[in-house]
Amino acid sequence: MTDDADLERHSMKMAKKKAARDKIMATKTDEKGLVIVHTGKGKGKSSAAFGMIFRCIAHDMKCAVVQFIKGGMSTGERDLILGKFSDTCSFHTMGEGFTWETQDKARDTEMAQAAWARAKELIRDESHKMVLLDEINIALRYDYIDINEVVEFLTTEKPHMTHVVLTGRNAKDELIEIADLVTEMELVKHPFRSGIKAQIGVEF
């Protein structure tokens, strides 16, 4: 059982921690639209990004999603946004599936270029507070889109207060360099390795 002395020590420790934290937070006064990258071999990159999209929707902030690789299959996020929140969030599925499924580099490149053109239009529209570029890192990895063009656009044309989220494995070093926030999802354990297929409500 915790005695009174332990409780007092804990309270004093937490009070000091709060004072230090408040001092740090007082220096954080700037606001800007962030370039956010979710990458790595672990699951959860798109899920975390859609979490931010749903936050924007909850705050009635206009936002948009462009899916670069994933095809037109039904997913929970897509169906929910199109069914209930299309007035706040526009959803653009521009890909036709992962490259190992399509097996057509010319077609994949064409689709990725079209998705990038749409993404630029949405980002330039300052009414969008956040634009999610889902799986763009895959398109960049296979050079369907020029990384230098993406970096230049994000650094010179992105409106100051617009957040852009880019997901997918193997984020290019050039993108990581200019990003404000980079999170790498680390793979520790995955059910796929135990023979368990992708399941509704978890993967889509």
Side-chain angles (χ1 to χ4, degrees), residues 61-184:
M61 297 165 62
K62 188 176 178 183
C63 52
V65 176
V66 180
Q67 290 192 308
F68 277 74
I69 301 296
K70 295 169 183 172
M73 67 173 286
S74 174
T75 65
E77 304 97 332
R78 180 172 180 252
D79 292 348
L80 181 61
I81 289 171
L82 290 177
K84 296 185 179 297
F85 304 113
S86 60
D87 56 337
T88 305
C89 182
S90 61
F91 204 108
H92 309 269
T93 301
M94 307 291 290
E96 294 182 326
F98 289 95
T99 188
W100 54 85
E101 295 174 342
T102 62
Q103 300 175 18
D104 186 341
K105 184 176 182 179
R107 181 63 175 169
D108 289 342
T109 301
E110 180 184 347
M111 297 301 292
Q113 290 287 335
W116 174 235
R118 177 65 57 83
K120 288 188 288 186
E121 292 176 2
L122 294 167
I123 294 168
R124 286 188 181 113
D125 180 351
E126 295 189 30
S127 69
H128 292 114
K129 302 305 180 185
M130 178 177 288
V131 179
L132 166 56
L133 309 182
D134 191 35
E135 302 290 1
I136 189 175
N137 288 335
I138 306 299
L140 290 168
R141 178 187 181 188
Y142 288 108
D143 297 320
Y144 299 157
I145 309 168
D146 183 0
I147 181 60
N148 295 315
E149 180 184 345
V150 172
V151 167
E152 181 178 4
F153 178 83
L154 292 175
T155 54
T156 64
E157 293 195 50
K158 181 185 77 65
H160 181 68
M161 290 306 297
T162 301
H163 305 297
V164 179
V165 188
L166 307 96
T167 73
R169 292 187 179 197
N170 303 110
K172 295 271 191 178
D173 290 340
E174 297 93 330
L175 181 59
I176 291 173
E177 178 66 26
I178 63 135
D180 299 288
L181 173 61
V182 180
T183 299
E184 183 171 6

Side-chain angles (χ1 to χ4, degrees), residues 17-98:
K17 185 181 287 288
K18 182 180 185 309
R21 181 70 177 170
D22 288 347
K23 185 176 181 180
I24 292 171
M25 293 302 292
T27 67
K28 312 301 181 186
T29 57
D30 291 344
E31 287 187 53
K32 62 170 289 192
L34 303 176
V35 174
I36 301 168
V37 175
H38 292 173
T39 192
K41 295 181 179 180
K43 281 185 58 58
K45 297 178 287 292
S46 293
S47 298
F50 274 108
M52 288 190 287
I53 286 291
F54 285 118
R55 280 188 191 141
C56 287
I57 291 171
H59 289 293
D60 201 26
M61 297 165 62
K62 188 176 178 183
C63 52
V65 176
V66 180
Q67 290 192 308
F68 277 74
I69 301 296
K70 295 169 183 172
M73 67 173 286
S74 174
T75 65
E77 304 97 332
R78 180 172 180 252
D79 292 348
L80 181 61
I81 289 171
L82 290 177
K84 296 185 179 297
F85 304 113
S86 60
D87 56 337
T88 305
C89 182
S90 61
F91 204 108
H92 309 269
T93 301
M94 307 291 290
E96 294 182 326
F98 289 95

